[in-house]
Amino acid sequence: MEENFRDSIGTITQEGKRNWIFPKKPSGRYYDYRKYVSYFLLIFLIAAPFIKIGGHQFLMFNVLDRRFNIFGVPFWPQDFHLVVISMIIGVIFIALFTVAYGRIFCGWMCPQTIFLEMVFRRIEYWIDGDRGAQMRLAKAPWTGKKIRKRVLKWTVFFIISFFIANVFLAYLIGSDQLLAYITDGPMAHLDTMVPLLIFTGVFYFIFAWFREQVCIIACPYGRLQGVLLDDKSIVVAYDHKRGEGENGRKKFRKNEDREALGHGDCIDCLQCVNVCPTGIDIRNGTQLECVNCTACIDECDHIMDSINKPKGLIRYASEDEITNKNKFKLTPRMKGYTAVLFVLIGVLVGMLFMRNEVEANVLRLPGQLYERKENNIISNVYTYKLVNKTAKDIENVSFELMSHNGEIKMVSQDKFTIPAEQLSEGTLFIEINASALNGDKDKLKIGVYSGDKLIETTVTQFLAPRSYN
């Protein structure tokens, strides 16, 4: 098999220009399964920012305000370590999945593939027709019919891109904020409308023109799979032993004994190439451009049925299975990824159980020394910040010393309320008799109470004269 096909990609001509891909409309059992998965994920993607659990948006990634909601659980900047661990778990999960099943995520779950194949291309098939009709239309002169088709398609594409941009905006700023902006009208929020139109343009550019090149050129995952895959990974593979036989492929002829002539089951119909959304020939083996979309499996199975040959010439299989007939089994690398994944998940679950609904920080005011008072009292001034991570107000909040006998005096009111999903900050004084101190830098344990209920504890330092040690 020649390897020169690896020197270029299917979407670029030898002159370096764009080679537009006109894939045949796929059909078959795998395509039906992909439609069900895609529609479910599309519904989830659109509905997730508008679903609330316990008053929290189901999914929100407010980067500007550094507030994140993941599955209804709010995460604040103080929970950044949890977000980092979650991201590491996601990376290792994808790595494990790729080692075991190749680039199946790209073909079945990636938003880029779902929007392109299940939304934009289906609209294109509806307006422009299948592969042959699209190719003829592309070469045709600009008649009234072609202009109408192009304007209709581009308009629909822009509307969908605008809708997608609004959905993503709901993830960024919150669905309540988005609905308020819509109610107020675009002119009342031009500072939001301009970025929204920019993102609309980006989505339109990706799905109307750049398309499969995102997967081939822009997405780093395609490069990553080359490092992660081995001959035991399950991928969309062509059974070259069965397809080539002893004397290679041959066009189909009725009533011909192909086996006696030494030819394989591949009849070189090129339907697997025509249906491929990235324009590759799967018979050349595993390639960077393959997103495991299974369109070639469905098309090849249909051809095999029509010539009374068994299905599975192209199928989910590993190179080791095709070459050596070895069944799939866990490799040491897969076991290693699995062990690390379970450990990290355990750590994350433990941290989530230890995570409090209130985050408290009490710090000495920078640049301020202690103050001596009457009756051997030492006083320090502090600032406090309390973050309420819940969707309810926390009322009657107060502080109490838990480690020393002393008194906490608030600068303003003695008891206050922390608004839902907000923070409260202020200033307080801690006064302790010098006889109760153990050194010049004692650690104080402070309890945060809501009424009589302890809701959080925090630790801070108390500065005192060295002479009181």
Side-chain angles (χ1 to χ4, degrees), residues 98-103 232-236 292 316-318 321 328:
T98 303
V99 169
Y101 297 108
R103 208 172 170 181
K232 293 179 175 59
S233 302
I234 303 295
V235 296
V236 173
N292 283 24
Y316 275 122
S318 66
E321 177 189 341
F328 173 78

Side-chain angles (χ1 to χ4, degrees), residues 55-298:
H56 298 294
Q57 189 169 307
F58 189 68
L59 287 175
M60 184 175 71
F61 307 95
N62 191 334
V63 179
L64 297 177
D65 294 335
R66 295 180 297 171
R67 291 172 54 191
F68 305 89
N69 292 346
I70 301 176
F71 303 130
V73 179
F75 291 89
W76 290 69
Q78 294 84 353
D79 300 316
F80 185 70
H81 60 289
L82 298 177
V83 177
V84 171
I85 292 176
S86 300
M87 292 175 66
I88 294 174
I89 288 174
V91 170
I92 293 178
F93 177 78
I94 290 176
L96 171 61
F97 216 63
T98 303
V99 169
Y101 297 108
R103 208 172 170 181
I104 192 171
F105 171 83
C106 297
W108 290 73
M109 290 173 281
C110 177
Q112 160 71 17
T113 303
I114 291 174
F115 276 117
L116 178 58
E117 300 299 328
M118 297 299 173
V119 179
F120 287 88
R121 275 215 168 106
R122 286 177 68 84
I123 291 170
E124 195 166 55
Y125 291 134
W126 170 61
I127 296 174
D128 290 349
D130 207 342
R131 170 182 164 83
Q134 290 182 26
M135 295 174 72
R136 290 191 296 271
L137 186 64
K139 295 177 182 178
W142 284 92
T143 61
K145 180 180 178 181
K146 181 173 180 176
I147 292 173
R148 285 194 299 272
K149 283 180 176 288
R150 286 289 185 263
V151 170
L152 175 60
K153 183 174 72 171
W154 293 339
T155 302
V156 174
F157 280 6
F158 182 84
I159 292 172
I160 296 175
S161 299
F162 184 72
F163 176 75
I164 296 172
N166 276 271
V167 171
F168 275 82
L169 185 62
Y171 281 96
L172 292 175
I173 67 173
S175 56
D176 292 341
Q177 192 71 38
L178 174 65
L179 294 175
Y181 285 175
I182 294 173
T183 303
D184 295 341
M187 299 307 295
H189 302 281
L190 287 177
D191 55 338
T192 302
M193 189 64 185
V194 172
L196 183 65
L197 291 176
I198 292 174
F199 277 104
T200 300
V202 171
F203 287 127
Y204 180 83
F205 169 75
I206 289 174
F207 295 117
W209 190 84
F210 205 52
R211 297 193 159 193
E212 69 282 340
Q213 294 189 109
V214 171
C215 309
I216 299 172
I217 299 174
C219 181
Y221 187 45
R223 271 66 177 171
L224 182 64
Q225 75 161 350
V227 179
L228 296 174
L229 293 182
D230 56 28
D231 62 350
K232 293 179 175 59
S233 302
I234 303 295
V235 296
V236 173
Y238 166 67
D239 190 338
H240 57 87
K241 284 196 166 184
R242 176 187 156 191
E244 304 297 313
E246 294 180 1
N247 297 323
R249 313 162 191 160
K250 188 178 184 297
K251 293 290 184 179
F252 178 75
R253 288 186 180 179
K254 194 174 182 180
N255 299 324
E256 182 180 58
D257 191 346
R258 298 176 64 86
E259 188 174 349
L261 294 172
H263 294 294
D265 286 353
C266 179
I267 62 173
D268 209 18
C269 63
L270 298 179
Q271 293 306 303
C272 59
V273 180
N274 293 338
V275 80
C276 179
T278 57
I280 66 169
D281 189 340
I282 192 63
R283 297 172 299 176
N284 289 329
T286 302
Q287 296 157 69
L288 175 149
E289 298 95 323
C290 179
V291 294
N292 283 24
C293 69
T294 68
C296 55
I297 296 180
D298 285 331

